[in-house]
Each structure stands twice: as C-alpha cells, then as structure tokens.
Amino acid sequence: MDAGPKDQARPTLSVNVYEEFLAEYPEYRSTAHLDALRASDYARLDVQGVVYLDYTGASLHAESQIRQHAELLSAHILGNPHSASPASSRTTSFVEGTRRAVLQWFNARDYTAIFTLNASGALKHVGESYAFEPGGRLLLSADNHNSVNGIREFARAHGAAVAYAPITVPELRLDTHRLEVMLEDADRTKTNLFAFPAQSNFTGVQHPLDLVQLAHDRGWDVLLDAAAFVPTNRLDLQTVRPEFVSVSFYKMFGYPTGVGCLLVRNDALARLHRPWFAGGTVNFATVGGRRHVLSRGEAGFEDGTLNYLSIAAVEIGLRHLASAGVDAIHTRVMCLTGWLLSRLVKLCHSNGRPMVRIYGPITTAGRGGIVTMNFYDPAGHLVDYRRVEELAGDQGISLRTGCFCNPGPGEAAEDITEEDIVAGLAANPDLTLPLFLQMITHRGGKSAGAIRVSFGIASTFADAQRFDEFAASLRDQTRLTIGEATFDIESCRIIRDGS
Ligand SMILES: Cc1ncc(COP(=O)(O)O)c(C=O)c1O
C-alpha cells in the first residue's frame, strides 16, 4: 500500500544516523530550542506531514505571529495614514515604529528605510532612480536574481555601459581577480554602480561582503541584494556600508507578504532621482504650474498608500526572529547543509556512477543554507528536474526547481553559450525555461535548471534526513522521464499526449 505524505513525513529518525550527525555537528545541540519552536509555532508541518525545503523561496510564518497581528488589528482603529485624524495618526505611529525597528535590526542608524512591495520593488527603485549616465557603468555579478539583472535595462536606456563580473566553475564564486580589474576600469568622474547578492539564491554562495569596500575604494556605489542572506545571517550596516540594500520580509519570517524594504545610506540618497511623483510622495504639486516638490527622505519613494496593516506585522516578525535567534538559525541551517552535502556527494548508482551533481561549493565554507543539484540516472543521463519535483511532491516534500530567477550560475556551470540561447530563441520566439531545458538537454546533455533545497527557521534534522532518503530512493532508477510529455526537437516544443 502506498503511504500518503502524512504517513511518510512522520519523523523516521534513525537513532544511529542522528547520533552520527550530532557527533559530527555538536553545535547543533545548542539550537535545540528551535525544535521546541517548531513543535509549538510550526506544528502544522508535522500535523500535515509536510517536509518544507524552500525557505529561500519563502520562510514560513509562526502561528504566534498571526495571533499577535490579529490581536493588534482587533485592538486598533487604523485609517489611511495620509491625514492627521486619530485613526490616521495611529497608523503612522505603527508605520514609523516599524521603520525604526527595521533600521535597528540592521544597525542602520545612518540609513533611510523605504518600504516597498518586496525586494524586487526595492531593486526597481534603484534601477529607475540611480543617476546612470553615458560614460558611467553598471557592473553586475553573473550570479544575480533577475530583479537585479533587470536593472541593466535602466542603465542601457541612460547610456551607461553594462558588464558582468564572471563566476568561476565549479564553486560558482565571483572571480575576485577579474572583478578587481573590472572595478579598476571605471571613469571615477561618472556614476558607477556595482550590484551583487550577499548570498546567491541559486547556489547559496556567500560572496564576500569585503567586496563592498573594494568597490568603494575604486569609486563605485554598491547595491547589495540581501534578500537571500538576511533570513539566516546577520547584516550589520555599520560594518558593511553599501549605498543600497534590498530585502523582502516574507523571506525573513514568512509573514507578512507584500512588504519589502530598500535601505539607502543617507549620504547616497541624493544619487537617486525619482522619475515621477505620485500621491503621498510630494509636499507640493500643481496642475496649473506643472511643478511639484518631492518629499524628502523615504516619503519621496513610497508611492500611494503603503501596505500599512501588513507593515504593522513586520515588527512582530522581527521580534519573532530575534527570539529564535538569527545566530542559532544560522548554526542550525549550516549543520543541516553540511550534513546533506556530505551525504549527496557520496550517492552512487550500483554501477558506481554518481547520482547527484551539486552546483556550488560542496563544503560549508563561504556559503549559506542552500543545496542545489541535479540527478543523473544509471546511464549518466540528466533526470528532468520536473520529474524529481513530482516524485518529491508525492512524498510530501516541497522543494524548488528551475533556475530560481537567477540564470547566471546555471549558464556558467553548464557552459551554456550565447549560441545555445540564440538557437533556442530562433526555434521558438516564445521560449520558456522548460522548453530551453529540453532543447539543450537534447543537443548537448546540458541543463538550464536544477533542484534547490533550502533550510530555515523551522528546519529540523528530520527534514534533511527525509530529503536524503528521497534522494537515495532514486538509486538505479531508469524510468525517470516526465509523465507523457515528449519533446519535439524541430519545433522546440513539448508535446503532451493528445495535444
Ligand atoms: C537573492 C534574491 N534577490 C531578490 C529576490 C526577489 O525577491 P521578491 O520576489 O520578494 O521581490 C529574491 C527572491 O527569491 C532573491 O532570492
């Protein structure tokens, strides 16, 4: 009889394996309070038998966060903040209190916190408002989320040159020597912006935060995308001093969605020129005079009415993260990551062929709690990541597949060339990632996508072990094709049965 996800997700903790894990990672014991938190605040995971392994996609909310937010909303009359009524003032005090809490969290006393919809909204602010100019540059790490890659369109439109700093195979870290050369090669009389992630959402690589100073010393402004870093790492903006930092709060503590933040160093605020104004962002605007005066500070960037009810939940989330302890979460996710990596790299089919390819470093040095991989069958053929996701889903395991909106690391690891991409687009102008994956797999056995497992605040050893068992269950399996779909190489289209 098939066991449902519920049955399968019950902790199958083999005492020996757990004891061995603890012997190898004794510091894990210091995070035992997170097991208690999981039982009290994330009980739904075990009740429903879900193994959640996509904390980089989104953290999970604690039940207590929701309770506290509901109590807060029930206790107060909160009106639109754009007026001076008591209901409006109450809202303003919650929003401003949250803003102070965010600045304090990042030790960002000389920064401005601009509330946005999400990290992408924060990044778009920089893209559309940064003073790109001909002769100036935008330098992007080849490892960047598409919401950072997209800034290149603003830079191009304003005549700035766009370049990518390469990452090296197999660890997929920035080539710091090459980067230094590229940073040197800038006209210091122009505006130059360097953008990189503190932690890759593809590989988990933590690019050195020292790069901020390296770029500053060569006359660059720096945009640090901290979205994947801050849920499990401390970021102290008195130690690391980028001009711009982007975060999404649901990635840090699951709830609320729809609120992110752009932190701007106060002395860099003047480098952002808003291309428009909106309700809430002006001190004065006329129709007849065709003039407006933009509000100073964060107000000039917060278009329309803020998501003020949700913003009130951000402080609750920060308190929750503080009580769990970011350092403890970091310790825990690194123990789980180290253990899982060491297990996966050893997995082999009976014929001795390796089952798994890891993207990025295979030790815990200079990386965070993300493990990204592909599986291969006994003949050495790539297993379609969608099939792996399907099989994992059948066992109640939620993981992430694809390129995670970050195409650079996969392209570097698989040596995907511009010709591959041009050929794909020529075959099908409506190219999607799954179609492209099929095409390059057929042509050269390459992969454009992968499978990502990531750990976070509510992760336990049982979660990591469940994934390890699932991975081991693919040993010697040969029939790992996707459902009924076949791929037509001529049209570069997936054809499903009957379609
Ligand atoms: C590193 C990184 N940057 C930016 C983003 C975009 O975040 P959001 O979708 O919340 O705007 C993500 C989301 O996965 C991310 O991982």
Side-chain angles (χ1 to χ4, degrees):
M1 193 184 78
D2 275 356
K6 212 169 170 167
D7 300 314
Q8 293 181 356
R10 297 246 155 76
T12 52
L13 222 56
S14 131
V15 174
N16 279 348
V17 180
Y18 189 49
E19 289 304 324
E20 279 166 25
F21 164 72
L22 288 177
E24 202 175 342
Y25 297 93
E27 64 274 31
Y28 189 80
R29 288 183 197 276
S30 71
T31 71
H33 65 284
L34 295 176
D35 287 320
L37 189 69
R38 158 92 171 229
S40 62
D41 243 343
Y42 301 87
R44 63 193 187 279
L45 283 169
D46 295 313
V47 168
Q48 294 177 33
V50 170
V51 177
Y52 185 77
L53 293 171
D54 188 21
Y55 287 86
T56 297
S59 188
L60 296 178
H61 61 266
E63 286 164 35
S64 60
Q65 283 171 262
I66 307 305
R67 261 197 320 274
Q68 287 175 50
H69 191 215
E71 280 162 16
L72 183 149
L73 297 182
S74 305
H76 298 281
I77 315 293
L78 299 171
N80 187 303
H82 291 145
S83 78
S85 69
S88 181
S89 303
R90 172 58 74 188
T91 301
T92 301
S93 81
F94 275 118
V95 170
E96 294 316 314
T98 304
R99 205 186 301 281
R100 283 192 296 278
V102 169
L103 290 171
Q104 208 174 356
W105 181 266
F106 293 108
N107 198 13
R109 56 176 174 271
D110 51 352
Y111 281 71
T112 294
I114 298 166
F115 287 122
T116 59
L117 281 178
N118 44 35
S120 302
L123 293 161
K124 189 172 179 210
H125 267 325
V126 178
E128 70 180 8
S129 299
Y130 186 74
F132 290 116
E133 59 182 329
R137 297 194 175 191
L138 170 65
L139 179 59
L140 297 161
S141 145
D143 178 8
N144 257 323
H145 192 275
N146 272 339
S147 298
V148 182
N149 287 323
I151 293 175
R152 70 187 186 213
E153 300 305 312
F154 289 111
R156 273 189 192 140
H158 288 91
V162 177
Y164 274 98
I167 47 179
T168 55
V169 179
E171 292 229 329
L172 303 174
R173 296 185 192 276
L174 271 165
D175 177 343
T176 39
H177 176 68
R178 193 74 199 95
L179 173 64
E180 214 170 319
V181 172
M182 295 176 95
L183 288 170
E184 286 290 352
D185 185 29
D187 179 348
R188 287 175 179 240
T189 67
K190 304 288 181 186
T191 52
N192 299 295
L193 180 66
F194 171 46
F196 75 101
Q199 176 166 311
S200 169
N201 71 317
F202 192 111
T203 57
V205 161
Q206 295 188 338
H207 299 295
L209 294 176
D210 299 353
L211 296 179
V212 175
Q213 190 58 44
L214 190 83
H216 282 166
D217 291 346
R218 286 153 187 79
W220 292 71
D221 290 326
V222 177
L223 164 57
L224 182 71
D225 178 14
F229 182 78
V230 290
T232 55
N233 298 272
R234 275 185 194 284
L235 178 64
D236 182 332
L237 292 177
Q238 295 310 302
T239 310
V240 185
R241 310 272 300 147
E243 278 72 12
F244 313 111
V245 180
S246 51
V247 298
S248 265
F249 291 114
Y250 72 89
K251 288 196 189 289
M252 294 175 73
F253 33 77
Y255 180 85
T257 51
V259 188
C261 184
L262 173 65
L263 292 154
V264 183
R265 221 178 60 207
N266 288 342
D267 60 327
L269 208 51
R271 302 227 258 296
L272 298 182
H273 303 285
R274 291 225 73 196
W276 83 318
F277 65 92
T281 67
V282 279
N283 288 342
F284 175 73
T286 78
V287 170
R290 307 280 202 279
R291 303 264 197 302
H292 73 276
V293 177
L294 204 69
S295 305
R296 288 183 185 275
E298 67 277 349
F301 289 84
E302 293 175 343
D303 297 333
T305 302
L306 282 171
N307 188 352
Y308 56 89
L309 295 183
S310 292
I311 286 174
V314 168
E315 196 173 350
I316 295 168
L318 288 172
R319 279 201 302 267
H320 177 71
L321 205 51
S323 75
V326 178
D327 294 335
I329 298 167
H330 177 81
T331 299
R332 173 166 280 231
V333 302
M334 292 320 297
C335 293
L336 298 177
T337 301
W339 180 81
L340 187 60
L341 281 168
S342 67
R343 302 280 293 192
L344 292 174
V345 294
K346 284 188 214 129
L347 282 181
C348 284
H349 294 289
S350 301
N351 64 11
R353 282 210 159 106
M355 291 171 61
V356 178
R357 171 177 181 184
I358 303 286
Y359 294 93
I362 56 169
T363 69
T364 51
R367 56 131 62 241
I370 294 175
V371 181
T372 299
M373 73 208 85
N374 262 315
F375 285 88
Y376 293 81
D377 73 9
H381 297 134
L382 176 71
V383 179
D384 193 311
Y385 63 76
R386 291 167 301 168
R387 181 66 181 136
V388 177
E389 184 171 28
E390 222 168 64
L391 291 169
D394 290 346
Q395 303 210 9
I397 299 175
S398 286
L399 39 73
R400 184 76 182 266
T401 63
C403 83
F404 328 117
C405 301
N406 180 349
E411 289 173 18
E414 295 284 350
D415 194 25
I416 293 169
T417 60
E418 198 169 345
E419 290 84 72
D420 292 325
I421 291 156
V422 169
L425 283 166
N428 185 345
D430 295 326
L431 195 65
T432 59
L433 177 67
L435 291 173
F436 182 62
L437 167 77
Q438 293 284 329
M439 193 192 91
I440 56 172
T441 307
H442 276 70
R443 292 206 172 149
K446 299 175 184 177
S447 169
I451 298 144
R452 183 181 75 190
V453 161
S454 55
F455 298 110
I457 187 169
S459 293
T460 60
F461 179 71
D463 293 335
Q465 197 192 14
R466 280 288 307 286
F467 182 76
D468 177 51
E469 285 169 1
F470 165 71
S473 76
L474 302 181
R475 178 177 292 118
D476 295 339
Q477 289 208 33
T478 49
R479 302 178 67 82
L480 289 169
T481 49
I482 290 223
E484 304 304 318
T486 56
F487 179 71
D488 178 36
I489 193 79
E490 289 309 318
S491 64
C492 185
R493 282 173 210 286
I494 290 174
I495 301 168
R496 292 203 169 262
D497 245 12
S499 63

